[in-house]
Amino acid sequence: MSTQRWPEQSFALLQLFLWVSFSLTQEPLCRQIGDPEIPQLSRDGDIILGGIFYFHSSWKSRENNYTQKPLPLECISLNFREFQFAQAMLFAIEEVNNSTELLPGISLGYKIYDTCGAITRSIKVALALNDGDESVSLASEGRCSRPVQVQAVMGETSSSPSTALATVIGAFHIPQISHFATCACLSDKTKYPSFLRTIPSDYYQSRALAHLVKHFGWTWVGAIRTNDDYGNNGMATFTETAEQFGICVEYSVSFFRTDPSEKIQKIIKTVKESTAKVIVAFLSHRDMEVLIHELSDHNLTGYQWVGSESWIFDSQIAAMDKKHILDGAIGLSIPKAQVGGLREFILDVRPLISSNNELFTTFWEALFQCKFKKAQLTEFEKECTGMEDLTGVENSFTDMSLMPIFNNVYKGVYAVAHALHNVLSCNKTCDNNVQLDPYTILQHIQKIRFKTKEGNAVYFNENGDPAAKYEIINWQKRENDIVSFVTVGVYDASFPAGTQLNFQNTSITWTQSSPQVPVSVCSDKCPPGTRKVLQKGKPVCCYDCIRCAEGEISNSTDAVSCVRCPHESWSNARGDACVKKEAEFLSFEELMGILLTSAALLGTSLTAAVAFIFYRHRKTALVRANNSELSFLLLFSLTLCFLCSLTFIGRPSDWSCMLRHTAFGITFVLCISCVLGKTMVVLMAFKATLPGRNVMKCFGPTQQRLSVLGFTLVQVIICILWLSISPPFLSKNFKEFKDKIILECSLGSAVGFWSVLGYIGLLAMLCFICAFLARKLPDNFNEAKFITFSMLIFCAVWIAFIPAYVSSPGKFSVAVEIFAILASSFGLLICIFIPKCYVMLLKPEKNTKKNMMGNRVPREF
């Protein structure tokens, strides 16, 4: 198993082994086995605190043949940051020791170890802190029941070593306070009961990053993480939250800084082949250093980076980014903090060299780029004197950008000090007789609540975590290619949902110094009027935009489905709103309505003109021979026929529906009754010329009027019954057209309607038969022939009307009915009256009694 990984199963086995070793031993005496661990920094005190940092970033790999004892780790690559963390711890201890209010009369000592970033070494150091690090021989014996050597441990910096450390010392309830281990897994008190931290859990950071990505509309992102507890757990929470927000992760890749170069090259290839323009990097600063070198080699610019707190405000990373790969990066950082006197204390490095420690000798040489004279110096090396000054020196040790993390170390020491103050019942003095117990100290640490001298509140929740608050940092390039970490907003997890993310009125610089927010989506947003259809085999963020079907709308962006419009509404052309369906009816304003109205008025005018001509010539033989009374009544009924067609035009209503059908039925029956009366008069007149027949006495003017009245009354009764039982009414037809409402008159009772038409047809057929029988009357008296022609036209029109009416949709059925009314009316008017008008106006010489009688003179009637 590699030293960079420490699986959870190994932790459980180790814990079981420790319990068995320490609790079930049968020997009353114990011996120390193996080489002792010597602290790199130590000082005696009444109470000892442990410190675990990795002053080296790595170690030399060695092959073990398992035939002899493995050599100790050979640490390499000094890590100036960890020296700063250790200095922050020493500064806090110095302040506590010099305080007269906190732990008066009690001095704090420390033992600080270097783990080289190796988890195996962290575990070994943890055991040394618990059992002591005295250099003893194998023959030496001591009581196994001696108390623990330290009352609390500060560290580790990273999450994976912290989980290993917490597993070991958690079994003994020794408080462990980390300043930079953010893995959400460490909040599990069943696994890590004694772990606390002064930095928020990644549970909140991961969710905050997801909120940040969602805020800028990035729904298609790539993800790169450190392959350890920090990166894996943090990215898992981010991915889970991102899915809830509708964000898709195109790829999620991981690596560790000790991985072979081929693995990192695969990551670079994945980034190049992807379409996501935003990359969420949940990386430790050491892994980011490795990645930035590879990115620079491939000049992989144009991507918007979203970073975790581990590297986003790291000036060393910014200094390494020579090709501006990370320009415009945005991410979360711990809120800025200042601790009075801490900067000066950290930069005062002379006490370190005075410790005469090999580690700090190496540290001094690396810090000032010199060599202590142990051998002959080369011409490029200068000699260290031990009196060097940091004035003017610029490197990662003099960089104070990590002051928020230094403050976390500072708060951790003070948390332990306040807990000890309470345990020892300190007032002006402390009770030195109290037997210190790590478990008791742990309980007091979990309950403490105080403020530092700068006013920062320090407390832990039930999971051992502090309040989660982050600043949103944006990388903005200044003059001389210097990157400035600009705070552009705040994320506070204690705020209500929806208000946690807040941006300041500060401009943000994006990748390649662009002022425009980058776009990173798999598919463009679907505009209103469309809906999303997922692309087969791809994440939910990849979809096609399909227009809503007719009658359906979507009035929001990225609608999942379209909504059907209400019954009386229809979708507009864009499909983003329902509009009231257009009501279709035969109106006076449209062309068809205008033509039909004009025809009706023309027919009315012609009828009126004919009536006027007949009135002017009422005493002439032609008018008298054609039964003037019935002629004027027929002209009146034709006028009504023409005018009743107008009731079919315009917006229908319940009253107009009843009026149009009844008016049409009654006026046409009146008209046909008059024509039938005239036909009967003609027949009777000529039958009366035969000897011995006096038929005209039985069909005089009174009988003619009564016949017209009787025929019409029958139709009136039919209409009354129709209106009483099931009258016509206004109905809305939604079936003929999808986008229109046809306003039409429903018949109510189909029997009533067809009874009205049938009765009109019956009278028309009777009239036609009578006229046909009178077809051989004298040529000079040709009215029967004209009536025959008019009835032929009438019947032809109404026979053709039936199929046309049934098959015509909407307003066209109304137009067919109006056309039938007008055509039949014009047929009667033209065939019966126009020839007579022609004679009266143009051939007045034929308008005489003598000419009308010819050779066969009928009796006057």
Side-chain angles (χ1 to χ4, degrees), residues 613-625 628 632 840 847:
I613 294 171
F614 265 61
Y615 181 77
R616 288 288 303 272
H617 299 83
R618 64 186 179 279
K619 294 182 180 180
T620 62
L622 186 59
V623 175
R624 292 184 65 201
S628 59
F632 282 111
M840 286 185 283
N847 190 8

Side-chain angles (χ1 to χ4, degrees), residues 615-763:
Y615 181 77
R616 288 288 303 272
H617 299 83
R618 64 186 179 279
K619 294 182 180 180
T620 62
L622 186 59
V623 175
R624 292 184 65 201
N626 282 278
N627 195 329
S628 59
E629 186 175 339
L630 285 180
S631 294
F632 282 111
L633 186 58
L634 178 57
L635 287 170
F636 172 72
S637 63
L638 282 174
T639 302
L640 294 179
C641 287
F642 282 118
L643 292 177
C644 82
S645 65
L646 298 178
T647 63
F648 288 81
I649 305 175
R651 190 182 188 91
S653 64
D654 288 338
W655 285 103
S656 67
C657 288
M658 290 187 287
L659 175 63
R660 64 172 59 170
H661 287 102
T662 53
F664 154 70
I666 293 171
T667 55
F668 258 77
V669 165
L670 178 60
C671 180
I672 299 301
S673 298
C674 293
V675 176
L676 181 59
K678 289 174 68 67
T679 307
M680 294 298 293
V681 168
V682 173
L683 280 175
M684 296 303 173
F686 281 94
K687 295 295 181 181
T689 61
L690 299 176
R693 295 190 179 183
N694 194 14
V695 182
M696 285 305 298
K697 290 183 179 180
C698 299
F699 204 72
T702 302
Q703 288 78 12
Q704 294 171 21
R705 297 187 193 101
L706 289 175
S707 66
V708 172
L709 180 62
F711 288 136
T712 306
L713 187 59
V714 173
Q715 184 74 307
V716 171
I717 293 171
I718 293 174
C719 289
I720 291 174
L721 291 174
W722 183 15
L723 296 178
S724 301
I725 297 172
S726 181
F729 59 90
L730 172 64
S731 67
K732 297 177 179 179
N733 187 344
F734 299 98
K735 297 180 180 178
E736 294 292 340
F737 300 101
K738 295 178 180 180
D739 56 344
K740 294 179 182 179
I741 301 175
I742 300 175
L743 298 182
E744 58 186 11
C745 289
S746 181
L747 298 177
S749 172
V751 174
F753 175 72
W754 293 111
S755 295
V756 169
L757 284 184
Y759 184 64
I760 295 173
L762 177 63
L763 292 180

